Amino acid sequence: MKLPLSKYVWFDGKYVLVEKANVPITTHAIHYGTSVFEGIRAYWNGENLYIFRLDEHVKRFRRSGQFYNISLNFSDNKITDAIIGICKKNKIKKSCYIRPFYFVGDYGINLHVTEKAPTNVAIFTFPFGDLFNKNGITAGVVSWKKFSDMSTPPQAKMGGNYLNSIIATQEAKRNGVDEAILLDHNGNVSEAPGENIFIVREGQLLTPALTSSALEGITRDAIIKIAKDLDIDVIERDIARSELIISDEIFLTGTAAEVTPVIEIDSKKIGKGKPGDITMKMMQEYTDIVMNKNNDYSHWLTKVY
Ligand SMILES: Cc1ncc(COP(=O)(O)O)c(C=O)c1O
């Protein structure tokens, strides 16, 4: 699937035409997955383009590489300016996805990656609508387990980590469902291949703790804060696989997925088999916030123009 990339990308400090941003075949990241990435959304509300939680994304961007001593040789301010700048340079006036990434460059076959290993940084963007059907998707628990802190840090958003997501997605698709749910190393619920998971039971919102190898998602954090502001109890704890089936509601959260209802899991209907009240409330709040219709959360938005 070829992305409709914008004309200009940001590459190692400069805006260049997308076809001019190339790397050698000896690039370390191609061989070993030594890349760090973020996924960010910007929303066009008819008047301006708003980047959602830019500071949090830039912070996680740098932190991911630190787990592996992979250097990001540009300041947070420079990366922030480049993310805003790539939207401006391409005169984007549509909701879009922004992908900043950095990776170990030409470093031979050396597995001893240090701060001195050469890295490249790039940012591209493309128009983006819904990832999933917002009326609800089907999901199924897959046999592959989420990798844990016993092998590689789940909080580092590394390219190589996503092989786990890819094999889980392949199994889900083979099983005829829209999305995979991965269990952690103890058999409790972890997350989906690119989304965090929330369940609703008796009016309370539950989500796996980070000890279940779930990524500390920025949308997850937003939903926790929004729910608390609405006086909905939020509990981070182990969630047993069987609790999924007896949930009143389930939804997934992520930059790409936003808030996506899950209406069926392992061929069993969740609740009434349609998005539940709390899920719908979260979807509505989230949409209002990203479209700058809720002043209480306008500090989460960075205006582009
Ligand atoms: C494995 C995984 N979990 C959860 C998420 C959701 O994180 P966020 O809300 O920060 O996009 C993502 C997406 O980045 C992801 O890749």
Side-chain angles (χ1 to χ4, degrees):
M1 187 182 59
K2 211 162 156 29
L3 291 170
L5 290 191
S6 58
K7 189 168 164 196
Y8 293 100
V9 300
W10 189 89
F11 190 43
D12 288 337
K14 295 193 185 76
Y15 296 104
V16 296
L17 290 169
V18 60
E19 59 272 18
K20 299 276 182 205
N22 298 310
V23 294
I25 58 166
T26 47
T27 298
H28 196 268
I30 302 172
H31 299 265
Y32 300 121
T34 43
S35 60
V36 174
F37 72 95
E38 274 300 317
I40 305 176
R41 270 194 193 252
Y43 293 88
W44 177 252
N45 74 352
E47 284 166 16
N48 214 320
L49 188 67
Y50 294 94
I51 304 175
F52 187 60
R53 305 200 74 180
L54 179 54
D55 293 349
E56 289 83 350
H57 281 287
V58 171
K59 211 166 150 192
R60 189 172 65 185
F61 192 47
R62 181 170 303 281
R63 201 179 59 211
S64 291
Q66 286 170 344
F67 286 98
Y68 291 93
N69 298 329
I70 295 176
S71 298
L72 174 57
N73 296 318
F74 293 88
S75 68
D76 285 3
N77 280 345
K78 189 85 189 159
I79 297 294
T80 302
D81 288 350
I83 292 169
I84 300 167
I86 199 73
C87 298
K88 281 190 178 148
K89 178 81 182 168
N90 287 295
K91 303 185 175 66
I92 303 227
K93 293 203 166 171
K94 264 184 187 172
S95 293
C96 63
Y97 185 90
I98 306 164
R99 166 57 56 87
F101 59 110
Y102 58 106
F103 50 93
V104 178
D106 206 348
Y107 195 53
I109 60 163
N110 194 349
L111 292 182
H112 187 206
V113 172
T114 69
E115 289 89 349
K116 292 200 177 75
T119 56
N120 301 98
V121 196
I123 308 170
F124 63 74
T125 179
F126 55 92
F128 201 37
D130 286 346
L131 176 70
F132 288 122
N133 182 349
K134 290 295 174 59
N135 295 320
I137 61 168
T138 59
V141 173
V142 294
S143 61
W144 295 99
K145 301 292 170 277
K146 171 82 195 202
F147 60 90
S148 80
D149 261 310
M150 288 187 289
S151 52
T152 46
Q155 300 312 330
K157 237 176 119 52
M158 311 303 295
N161 286 354
Y162 283 78
L163 290 171
N164 183 230
S165 299
I166 287 166
I167 205 158
T169 303
Q170 288 169 338
E171 185 175 332
K173 297 287 179 188
R174 266 200 312 278
N175 294 342
V177 294
D178 297 318
E179 189 58 313
I181 304 297
L182 292 107
L183 303 180
D184 70 11
H185 58 282
N186 289 321
N188 294 314
V189 176
S190 176
E191 60 176 349
E195 303 88 37
N196 291 109
I197 186 166
F198 284 82
I199 68 172
V200 178
R201 292 193 64 194
E202 309 290 341
Q204 287 185 323
L205 210 45
L206 311 176
T207 194
L210 303 187
T211 43
S212 280
S213 307
L215 181 73
E216 195 169 14
I218 291 167
T219 322
R220 173 187 185 275
D221 176 74
I223 290 300
I224 291 172
K225 292 197 164 97
I226 297 165
K228 286 184 176 164
D229 288 347
L230 291 170
D231 283 331
I232 298 171
D233 286 341
V234 186
I235 302 166
E236 295 177 54
R237 66 151 168 84
D238 286 350
I239 296 181
R241 176 181 185 168
S242 53
E243 279 189 279
L244 293 175
I245 295 162
I246 53 168
S247 299
D248 302 321
E249 303 179 30
I250 300 181
F251 61 86
L252 305 180
T253 64
T255 297
E258 301 167 303
V259 181
T260 295
V262 175
I263 52 174
E264 194 184 292
I265 207 147
D266 289 343
S267 304
K268 293 202 164 58
K269 259 190 205 168
I270 298 303
K272 298 195 176 84
K274 55 183 187 132
D277 293 344
I278 292 185
T279 305
M280 299 275 274
K281 179 79 187 149
M282 289 300 153
M283 289 172 82
Q284 190 56 54
E285 289 281 321
Y286 191 77
T287 307
D288 286 350
I289 290 168
V290 299
M291 289 296 178
N292 198 24
K293 287 190 196 153
N294 186 337
N295 286 338
D296 292 346
Y297 299 92
S298 53
H299 58 283
W300 281 350
L301 302 176
T302 302
K303 219 182 201 182
V304 171
Y305 301 108

